[in-house]
Amino acid sequence: MHSLYWRIFLAFWVALALILVGTLTVAVNATTHRTERPWIQRGQLYTQAARAFESGGPQALKGWLEALPREPFGRTFVVGPDGKEMLERPLPASLYGPGGNAPPSAPAAAGDTDAAVGAIAPIGGALVLMAPEGGTYHVVIGPVRDSPRLFGELELPGVPLTLLLIALAVSAAVCLFLARYLAAPVDRLRLATRQLANGDLNVRVLPALKGRQDDLGLLAADLDAMAERLRQLLEGKQQLLRDVSHELRSPLARLQLALSLARRDPSASERHMARAAFEADRLEQLIARTLKLVRLERPMHELEQARVDVAALLRTIAADVAIEADARGCLVQVQVEDALCVSGDAEVLRSAFENVIRNAVRYSPPAAVIAISARRTPHMGPAQAVEVTVRDCGPGVPEKDLGLIFEPFYRVDAAREHRSAGGEGLGLSIAARAIALHGGTIAAANAPDGGLLVRVTLPADARAREQRPAAAA
């Protein structure tokens, strides 16, 4: 049971149950003492008093009273016909009823004896003994204790207090554990958020919570995932800045060299200026592609949602790229199904597919064939995905680099050695960001018979999925 809701419920339930059990135990114990032991003792005393009175009259009753043990003697009284206690002891105030105001030690006035005796109202009543000469003796037994008690009149006053203290201690321990169980992770989360706000992106909360799987544990896991994602984004931005600086430095250095050579050799200034213009164009393209990559990495990047025909888009891109392919002696073949529609931004998707296709043309040898195919697949459910495959006939990519070629400015070693064959390492990165923004996936693999195969999967347009069964019918 990992839910924090049920843990709170059970903890409070157990605490209240323990308190309830303790309270009921005290109440039952108090009722038992009040209804059994005091009454049994009172009945026994009344029986002894009646036997003594029958055997010897008032004198025997007085002797019986004097012979009582200390405990019942202190609360057992005999009121004679004159309204006085037989041993001339003051009667406790608790023996008088609500209307009884007669002083226990004052002699009753003539005619007021019955009124004074009638004012006495002990718990359980009094034993009335009639003497042969007509005198009336009242045997009264007071409560165990005159002072009021929280749980009533109990013969064993330590028992209810002990039970009450046990119930309070148990409930306090349970609630303390519950408070600590809830407050400690919250405090840890607050400390972690403060550390994150101060720039410490390596802080982790879940290990400190010992792998808790309740709601607070899931929150800690989400916070750790957020911290890890922030760390990766920050490191990615820093790496991007370093890579951009490095990539900009090379064309700038060549541009400065061309201008310097043009100044030194005016006769060859036109050739050097053409070289400078070429480097300036390349620098402009690099900046534009970098800015495009940054725009695609924005979390709140808003795409223009429209219905895009992937088949028509691929045919258009292939026609544009065919010029570059012809220059290299390559052939671009397109084999796509009709009505392959997705929902998204047509320009962003065009840029993604164009980068993948141009990358295939760039790394294919002369007289090679670049194969482009598109079809409907059930990868995301029945007829709910469009899969585009671009395959070249180049040298492929080392297995260790397959997962890295979609990172910005990343180039395999062969491309780094031959810069004329490769670009800046941004094309596939732009394609990966664009496909991800559309909820799709992109992956690369080496073909069994040579070449690199790039597979793009995009969710099909909902309207296209609804219209296809109707058209088939």
Side-chain angles (χ1 to χ4, degrees):
M1 186 176 295
H2 299 310
S3 175
L4 188 60
Y5 171 82
W6 288 110
R7 294 192 182 191
I8 295 175
F9 169 78
L10 289 178
F12 277 110
W13 187 30
V14 169
L16 293 178
L18 292 175
I19 295 175
L20 180 61
V21 170
T23 304
L24 289 177
T25 303
V26 171
V28 170
N29 189 27
T31 303
T32 302
H33 286 352
R34 184 166 56 250
T35 57
E36 294 182 2
R37 295 186 179 181
W39 291 115
I40 293 174
Q41 190 179 42
R42 183 178 289 111
Q44 294 174 351
L45 292 175
Y46 283 166
T47 300
Q48 295 173 6
R51 289 176 181 175
F53 189 76
E54 291 176 357
S55 63
Q59 291 299 324
L61 182 63
K62 182 177 181 181
W64 167 81
L65 182 63
E66 292 176 344
L68 284 176
R70 180 177 179 179
E71 193 280 323
F73 175 78
R75 57 189 181 89
T76 305
F77 307 90
V78 178
V79 180
D82 56 356
K84 295 182 179 180
E85 204 275 330
M86 182 172 286
L87 300 180
E88 297 184 353
R89 293 175 298 170
L91 298 178
S94 59
L95 293 180
Y96 289 92
N101 297 320
S105 59
D112 291 341
T113 300
D114 294 338
V117 176
I120 299 175
I123 297 176
L127 174 65
V128 181
L129 302 174
M130 299 293 296
E133 61 274 11
T136 303
Y137 293 87
H138 292 76
V139 181
V140 294
I141 300 176
V144 177
R145 186 175 179 180
D146 292 335
S147 59
R149 296 189 177 190
L150 180 61
F151 295 99
E153 179 187 354
L154 301 177
E155 185 178 4
L156 299 176
V159 174
L161 181 59
T162 302
L163 291 176
L164 178 62
L165 292 177
I166 292 176
L168 292 176
V170 171
S171 62
V174 172
C175 293
L176 180 62
F177 172 77
L178 179 63
R180 182 173 181 81
Y181 185 79
L182 296 177
V186 174
D187 292 339
R188 189 69 184 89
L189 289 171
R190 291 179 56 193
L191 178 61
T193 54
R194 291 178 182 175
Q195 292 176 331
L196 286 176
N198 292 331
D200 184 7
L201 300 181
N202 293 320
V203 61
R204 297 296 180 266
V205 184
L206 193 58
L209 301 185
K210 298 180 180 180
R212 286 179 52 162
Q213 297 299 320
D214 55 11
D215 299 71
L216 290 176
L218 296 177
L219 179 60
D222 292 341
L223 183 64
D224 289 349
M226 181 188 69
E228 178 63 20
R229 179 58 178 164
L230 289 176
R231 186 188 65 81
Q232 292 178 356
L233 289 176
L234 183 59
E235 291 181 355
K237 296 298 182 183
Q238 294 174 348
Q239 183 64 35
L240 180 62
L241 288 176
R242 290 192 294 267
D243 292 339
V244 169
S245 300
H246 174 74
E247 295 295 332
L248 291 178
R249 187 178 296 112
S250 297
L252 281 176
R254 289 191 294 268
L255 180 61
Q256 292 176 350
L257 178 60
L259 293 176
S260 177
L261 292 176
R263 295 191 188 97
R264 294 179 182 178
D265 187 5
S267 61
S269 60
E270 185 175 352
R271 179 170 58 87
H272 295 311
M273 292 303 294
R275 179 64 181 180
F278 174 79
E279 295 297 338
D281 291 340
R282 185 172 183 178
L283 186 60
E284 181 182 0
Q285 293 177 5
L286 175 60
I287 295 174
R289 293 166 72 87
T290 303
L291 292 177
K292 187 172 186 177
L293 178 65
V294 172
R295 285 196 300 268
L296 291 175
E297 287 183 338
R298 293 172 55 188
M300 299 303 294
H301 181 73
E302 296 182 358
L303 297 176
E304 178 184 351
Q305 295 298 326
R307 190 179 181 190
V308 181
D309 188 347
V310 176
L313 183 62
L314 291 175
R315 292 190 183 99
T316 303
I317 297 174
D320 294 340
V321 178
I323 302 176
E324 300 178 15
D326 290 340
R328 298 179 58 87
C330 298
L331 178 63
V332 179
Q333 291 183 348
V334 181
Q335 185 178 0
V336 297
E337 298 179 3
D338 293 330
L340 298 177
C341 296
V342 298
S343 178
D345 192 315
E347 290 300 323
V348 175
L349 289 176
R350 177 187 174 88
S351 175
F353 289 125
E354 186 176 1
N355 281 321
V356 174
I357 296 173
R358 289 185 183 275
N359 186 78
V361 172
R362 183 179 300 114
Y363 286 99
S364 293
V369 176
I370 293 89
I372 303 172
S373 62
R375 61 190 180 97
R376 187 174 286 100
T377 66
H379 289 179
M380 298 182 181
Q384 290 188 353
V386 173
E387 182 182 87
V388 179
T389 302
V390 179
R391 177 180 175 180
D392 61 38
C393 296
V397 175
E399 293 294 332
K400 62 183 181 64
D401 295 327
L402 286 175
L404 302 174
I405 59 176
F406 298 104
E407 296 296 327
F409 297 103
Y410 187 86
R411 292 183 300 274
V412 296
D413 294 338
R416 292 181 186 275
E417 294 173 2
H418 304 284
R419 291 297 301 271
S420 60
E424 305 87 3
L426 290 175
L428 293 181
S429 300
I430 293 175
R433 300 299 188 274
I435 297 302
L437 284 176
H438 287 80
T441 59
I442 183 171
N446 289 314
D449 52 350
L452 183 68
L453 188 147
V454 178
R455 180 176 290 106
V456 176
T457 305
L458 289 170
D461 183 61
R463 292 170 295 179
R465 296 196 302 265
E466 295 174 357
Q467 293 173 1
R468 182 173 176 80

